[in-house]
Amino acid sequence: MKIIMLGAPGAGKGTQAKMIADAYNIPHISTGDIFRANIKNNTELGIKAKKYMDQGLLVPDELTCDLVVDRICQEDCADGYVLDGFPRTIPQAVCLDKALEGMSDKIDYAVNVKVPDENIVRRMSGRRACAKCGATYHIVHIPPKKEGICDRCSSELILRDDDKPETVLKRLSVYHAQTQPLIEYYDEKGVLVEVDGTQEMNDVFAEITGALK
Ligand code: ADP
Ligand code: ADP
Ligand code: ZN
C-alpha cells in the first residue's frame, strides 16, 4: 500500500504515519526527518535546507524530489510506504506521479488529516521530539512516561527550532498557499481520504484504517 499524508504542520501526519507504518509493516518516509538528519550531520543538503526550514519556508523542489524518488526505489519500498511531508507542492506531486508512472505504479491513498488553524499553534508549542529516534510527544496530549525523556530510547526530548509560534504562523501560511492545493489534486485522482484530526490519536487512526482497503 502506497500512502501520502496531507495536512497542516502539526496536524498529526507524523504521528499517524508512524502508526500506519507499524500496522502495515511498511517504511515511514518523512522528508522533514531526512532534512533534520542531514542538518545534524552537517551535509551539503542539510546546510542548504536549514536556511529555508529556519524561516518556515519550503526547501526548494529541486532539492526534494530526487531525494524522495531515490528513496521509494529502494528495496524495502517494494510493498509500499507512507510518505509524510511529501509532496508539499503541485510540482512535487507531478514529479512523484511521473516517477511512479515510469515504474507502472501509483499512489493508493492520500490521507488528509484535518485540523483547524486555531488548534495548530497549541499543538506545535507542546510538541517535543526525540533528537535521537525521532519519536514525537505532546506535553499535554501525548506526554512521555518521564518528563523530557523519550519512552523508546531514553534520550532527551527537545522543542524543534521551527516550532516557535512566529515560525509556526509562517509555516501555516506557506501550507495554505503551496500545499493545500494538493487536496484537490488527489481528490481529482480519486484517492483522497479525509479524516478529522482533532480527535484523540487512536480515534484518528481508526478512522484512517477504516478507509484503507
Ligand atoms: P511538520 O511535520 O511540522 O509538517 P516537517 O518535519 O514535515 O514538519 O517539515 C519541517 C520542514 O522541513 C518544513 O517546514 C520545510 O521547511 C521542510 N520540508 C519538509 N518536507 C518538505 C517538502 N516535501 N518540500 C519542501 N520542504 C520540506
Ligand atoms: P505533523 O507531522 O503533522 O507536523 P505531529 O504528528 O508531529 O504532526 O503532531 C504535532 C503535535 O501534536 C505533536 O506534539 C503530537 O504529539 C501531537 N498530536 C498528534 N496527534 C494528536 C492528536 N490526535 N491529539 C492531540 N495531539 C496530537
Ligand atoms: Zn527516542
Side-chain angles (χ1 to χ4, degrees):
M1 189 133 49
K2 301 183 173 90
I3 303 169
I4 287 171
M5 303 303 294
L6 298 174
K13 300 180 297 297
T15 302
Q16 296 300 324
K18 282 174 198 144
M19 293 168 83
I20 294 169
D22 284 347
Y24 292 88
N25 202 17
I26 50 179
H28 165 219
I29 302 172
S30 155
T31 40
D33 285 352
I34 295 172
F35 289 136
R36 281 185 289 276
N38 275 275
I39 291 173
K40 207 168 156 189
N41 294 327
N42 226 356
T43 69
E44 206 179 314
L45 174 66
I47 293 164
K48 284 185 189 158
K50 188 175 179 352
K51 281 197 285 206
Y52 298 94
M53 291 168 75
D54 282 350
Q55 297 176 66
L57 301 172
L58 295 183
V59 177
D61 293 339
E62 52 275 27
L63 294 179
T64 310
C65 290
D66 293 351
L67 179 103
V68 174
V69 171
D70 283 351
R71 179 66 189 87
I72 62 173
C73 288
Q74 286 169 24
E75 219 171 285
D76 63 331
C77 290
D79 292 335
Y81 42 78
V82 44
L83 287 179
D84 164 17
F86 182 94
R88 255 184 162 95
T89 64
I90 295 281
Q92 289 181 12
V94 171
C95 158
L96 175 65
D97 279 344
K98 282 205 180 119
L100 288 168
E101 259 170 56
M103 303 185 259
S104 305
D105 207 345
K106 60 173 182 48
I107 289 299
D108 298 303
Y109 298 100
V111 177
N112 182 29
V113 183
K114 289 192 292 183
V115 174
D117 286 7
E118 307 83 271
N119 301 18
I120 294 291
V121 177
R122 198 170 39 211
R123 282 244 182 133
M124 308 287 257
S125 57
R127 170 155 65 184
R128 295 293 180 275
C130 174
K132 194 166 171 207
C133 78
T136 38
Y137 303 87
H138 189 282
I139 51 175
V140 180
H141 305 300
I142 307 170
K145 290 194 182 80
K146 194 167 167 221
E147 196 185 316
I149 302 292
C150 180
D151 291 349
R152 293 212 311 217
C153 74
S154 302
S155 299
E156 194 192 345
L157 300 180
I158 54 161
L159 175 67
R160 263 166 53 175
D161 282 347
D162 59 346
D163 279 349
K164 295 188 293 270
E166 41 311 355
T167 318
V168 170
L169 292 177
K170 179 69 198 167
R171 287 162 65 200
L172 260 180
S173 77
V174 166
Y175 165 77
H176 288 300
Q178 294 185 264
T179 309
Q180 201 166 300
L182 291 175
I183 297 171
E184 202 182 316
Y185 180 91
Y186 286 107
D187 194 16
E188 280 170 5
K189 289 188 177 290
V191 296
L192 184 69
V193 169
E194 297 208 89
V195 298
D196 174 6
T198 63
Q199 307 169 85
E200 195 267 313
M201 129 179 134
N202 292 318
D203 295 334
V204 180
F205 183 62
E207 207 183 325
I208 295 174
T209 50
L212 310 185
K213 278 163 230 100

